[in-house]
Amino acid sequence: MFGLGILKGMWVTLTHFVGSFVDDIRWLGRRYYTPEGIAHRTSKDARGVFTVQYPEESLPIPEEFRFIPFLIYDVEEDGSHQDRCTSCGICAKVCPPQCIWIVRTDDPETGRPVPEPAEFFIDIDICMNCGYCAEYCPFDAIKMDHDFELSSFDRHAEHIYNKDKLSKPASYYAGIRPTNYAREEAIKAEKEAKKANR
């Protein structure tokens, strides 16, 4: 009675082990890192287990994958960049590890705040990739990136991202997350249509 669970577990392991070799024989002479091979190995039709030979092979990144946050700017018709960030500080307040620092821009004549950040820093070693900053941003100025290959030897020089390193155009976001971007644009268009009808 007590050994039955162990035998069932060993049977599952043996089934996956043998299934891996059966699938390998079906793919004899071909590599998995072709788009067709990766699509097969990540589908429900694949049998057994397989190992991705990274960095030569890599699995496609899902659209909802999130890693380091980045700032979005819009490109105006004259070619200038318009930051979406207004340096409101909500992202820094909701960040659990407190890895976001923002310095507001002040008007030199009046001393009043201007709605754009003078400096914006994220320490990517502290960031836990939770996505709260992107979720709570009322201006859709922060989104989560797909770039995860960020290793370097100098933590202080390379892993504290400033505003220039964090800023990417809205077209970049549309490229990595087309479904979300299309949904957000549809919501904006609907809101603008409601305003126009008032």
Side-chain angles (χ1 to χ4, degrees):
M1 172 110 184
F2 294 111
L4 192 59
I6 293 172
L7 290 175
K8 285 181 181 177
M10 294 300 286
W11 179 254
V12 169
T13 304
L14 182 64
T15 304
H16 284 296
F17 179 73
V18 171
S20 300
F21 285 106
V22 169
D23 229 23
D24 285 343
I25 291 168
R26 285 186 18 212
W27 282 80
L28 195 62
R30 296 180 287 167
R31 298 293 295 170
Y32 290 132
Y33 59 82
T34 62
E36 177 194 5
I38 293 292
H40 168 73
R41 291 305 267 174
T42 56
S43 73
K44 62 177 177 52
D45 301 324
R47 297 177 59 187
V49 294
F50 73 104
T51 301
V52 177
Q53 302 296 326
Y54 183 81
E56 290 82 16
E57 301 174 6
S58 61
L59 295 175
I61 297 175
E63 187 175 335
E64 294 300 319
F65 176 77
R66 63 176 190 255
F67 204 61
I68 299 301
F70 67 95
L71 295 172
I72 294 182
Y73 63 83
D74 294 313
V75 179
E76 302 295 328
E77 291 183 14
D78 62 354
S80 63
H81 297 172
Q82 179 63 43
D83 288 325
R84 289 187 184 178
C85 180
T86 62
S87 64
C88 66
I90 291 174
C91 55
K93 288 175 188 163
V94 301
C95 180
Q98 298 292 296
C99 66
I100 299 174
W101 300 279
I102 303 170
V103 178
R104 289 185 181 189
T105 303
D106 291 329
D107 188 331
E109 294 176 10
T110 63
R112 300 183 76 177
V114 177
E116 69 177 64
E119 296 177 18
F120 196 107
F121 297 100
I122 296 179
D123 189 337
I124 66 167
D125 286 337
I126 299 173
C127 179
M128 58 189 252
N129 316 115
C130 63
Y132 282 175
C133 54
E135 185 176 337
Y136 284 98
C137 180
F139 305 102
D140 286 332
I142 300 180
K143 299 295 179 186
M144 302 303 283
D145 207 347
H146 284 181
D147 189 13
F148 61 91
E149 296 172 325
L150 305 173
S151 62
S152 68
F153 290 105
D154 190 354
R155 174 200 183 296
H156 297 290
E158 300 292 328
H159 291 187
I160 299 176
Y161 282 24
N162 61 12
K163 183 181 168 191
D164 292 334
K165 206 168 185 180
L166 290 167
S167 296
K168 296 183 180 179
S171 58
Y172 173 80
Y173 175 64
I176 64 171
R177 299 183 82 170
T179 306
N180 284 355
Y181 182 77
R183 185 175 60 240
E184 289 169 10
E185 289 300 308
I187 291 169
K188 283 181 191 174
E190 186 179 319
K191 286 180 181 177
E192 287 175 10
K194 285 181 181 178
K195 281 182 186 178
N197 291 336
R198 287 183 186 175

